[in-house]
Amino acid sequence: MMLFTQAQGLPVITADEAEPLGRVESLTIDAHAGSIACLRLSGAPKHLATIAWHAIEAVGRDAVIVRSRTATDVGHGSLPAHQEALGRRVLTEHGSEHGTVKDIAFDNTTGRIHTLYTALGDISGDRLLGVGSYAVVVRAETA
């Protein structure tokens, strides 16, 4: 398990060529899949600024490893639009407030979203419905 804030700033390098590509700037969530869709890099050439999760070999405490430079060449049209989740307000599908997103735990092997840590408590990643420009939307807790 890893936190978004731990992944931000990590260097991204290729396994095959040991070539540095940039640093993790942010992670894009695919809310429908409940997982990370891609990494967005800073300090990378424009054509390498977004790397799909399936091209990731490993995410560790010191670096992110991608299989090879050629594995990073994907159709970016298939990736969801990036919406920043950290710091975003959290609403249930009924419009109830649930604070703001402080951090997000994810499985660093599969990219699956595990927990959203908010100002008003933890929310299971299974409840994630959407990430938009206004809010992160989650399913309301069932009693």
Side-chain angles (χ1 to χ4, degrees):
M1 216 54 62
M2 189 170 210
L3 298 173
F4 270 37
T5 55
Q6 292 172 321
Q8 289 176 322
L10 286 177
V12 179
I13 60 174
T14 61
D16 291 350
E17 304 91 4
E19 177 184 0
L21 299 177
R23 292 191 171 274
V24 177
E25 182 176 314
S26 60
L27 300 109
T28 299
I29 297 173
D30 179 344
H32 297 292
S35 62
I36 297 171
C38 61
L39 306 178
R40 298 202 176 282
L41 307 184
S42 62
K46 187 171 175 97
H47 69 283
L48 292 176
T50 303
I51 298 178
W53 183 263
H54 65 77
I56 305 295
E57 179 97 6
V59 178
R61 299 284 177 212
D62 297 320
V64 175
I65 310 297
V66 296
R67 291 183 187 90
S68 69
R69 188 179 184 104
T70 57
T72 63
D73 297 331
V74 297
H76 293 127
S78 63
L79 297 174
H82 178 72
Q83 298 291 337
E84 190 61 51
L86 296 180
R88 190 79 69 216
R89 71 188 312 182
V90 180
L91 299 173
T92 68
E93 78 269 38
H94 304 298
S96 299
E97 285 272 352
H98 202 316
T100 57
V101 177
K102 298 297 181 192
D103 216 335
I104 299 173
F106 66 98
D107 183 315
N108 56 334
T109 304
T110 65
R112 188 97 181 126
I113 302 298
H114 186 266
T115 307
L116 285 79
Y117 298 104
T118 76
L120 297 178
D122 302 348
I123 301 171
S124 170
D126 295 339
R127 293 177 45 204
L128 181 63
L129 294 175
V131 180
S133 60
Y134 180 72
V136 173
V137 180
V138 296
R139 194 173 298 107
E141 283 186 293
T142 54

